[in-house]
Amino acid sequence: MYGAGAILHADREGTYWWGRRLATVLFVRPVPRMLWPTKYDDAAAALGTPSIETNMGVGTDDLRETVGWTGALGAAPGIVADMWIEFWWASFLVLLCIGWCHGRAWARAVGQGGVWTPLYCSMFAVSIYLVMQSLEAMLFRFLLLAVPVLLAWGCARGLGALAAQRDFATSPETG
C-alpha cells in the first residue's frame, strides 16, 4: 500500500530523483553523524532532494494530499516503487541491471570461486532488503559487508604470497 501510494504521489507531482537519493546513500550516509551532524539536510539542499532522514524522503505528510493518508514513520516502498520514484520508466532498466548483477555474481561464484563466493553470499544475504525496503537499504548494507570482505581477501592473498615467497626462498631446491 505504501509503495503504491508513493508511486501515485510521484506521478501526480512529477517528482523523480534520477539517482540523487542513491548518491546521498552511497556517499553521505557512511559519514558518521558526529563528524557531519547536518549531513542529510546539507545533501538534500545540494542535490535538490528531500532529506532522506525520514522514510528516505518518500511521502510522510506529502501522501495525504495525493492518496488521503499519511505514510507511517519508518515505512519503506519496496524495490519496484522505490525505483519508480527514483527513475520513472527507466526503473525497468535499473531493475534489469540489478538482476544482471546478481546473476553475474552467482555465475562467477560458481565458476571462479575465490572472492566471488563471499561477495555473492553477501549480495544474497542482503537481497531481502530489496523486497522489504529499498535499493538504498540493500546497497548500504552490501557496502558494509563487501568492503571488509574485499579487504580481508586482499590481506589474505598478500600474506599467502609472502608465505609462498618465503617457502620458495628457503626450499633446498632453490639453494
Side-chain angles (χ1 to χ4, degrees):
M1 288 296 286
Y2 180 72
I7 287 173
L8 291 172
H9 179 72
D11 283 346
R12 179 175 177 218
E13 299 295 319
T15 53
Y16 306 101
W17 305 117
W18 302 106
R20 293 177 290 176
R21 287 184 320 148
L22 291 172
T24 302
V25 168
L26 294 175
F27 302 114
V28 176
R29 187 174 176 185
V31 178
R33 192 178 290 270
M34 66 181 211
L35 296 178
W36 189 4
T38 59
K39 63 183 182 178
Y40 293 125
D41 295 330
D42 295 345
L47 297 173
T49 63
S51 175
I52 66 164
E53 193 162 10
T54 305
N55 289 23
M56 288 301 294
V58 178
T60 46
D61 292 330
D62 300 337
L63 287 177
R64 185 175 303 283
E65 298 170 15
T66 307
V67 293
W69 43 267
T70 301
L73 191 60
I79 187 66
V80 174
D82 186 47
M83 291 298 92
W84 184 266
I85 293 164
E86 197 70 40
F87 297 109
W88 194 38
W89 283 102
S91 62
F92 295 108
L93 293 174
V94 175
L95 291 169
L96 181 67
C97 287
I98 292 169
W100 182 85
C101 288
H102 275 82
R104 189 75 175 146
W106 175 82
R108 290 217 171 158
V110 170
Q112 295 176 353
V115 74
W116 287 102
T117 302
L119 283 177
Y120 174 71
C121 289
S122 299
M123 287 177 80
F124 180 74
V126 297
S127 66
I128 189 68
Y129 288 102
L130 292 174
V131 178
M132 301 304 291
Q133 289 191 358
S134 62
L135 178 65
E136 295 88 356
M138 188 279 299
L139 275 178
F140 183 71
R141 285 158 181 87
F142 177 68
L143 287 175
L144 286 176
L145 291 172
V147 169
V149 163
L150 291 171
L151 290 174
W153 196 271
C155 288
R157 286 191 70 192
L159 292 174
L162 286 174
Q165 286 177 350
R166 185 189 69 223
D167 291 344
F168 180 76
T170 59
S171 70
E173 295 87 31
T174 58

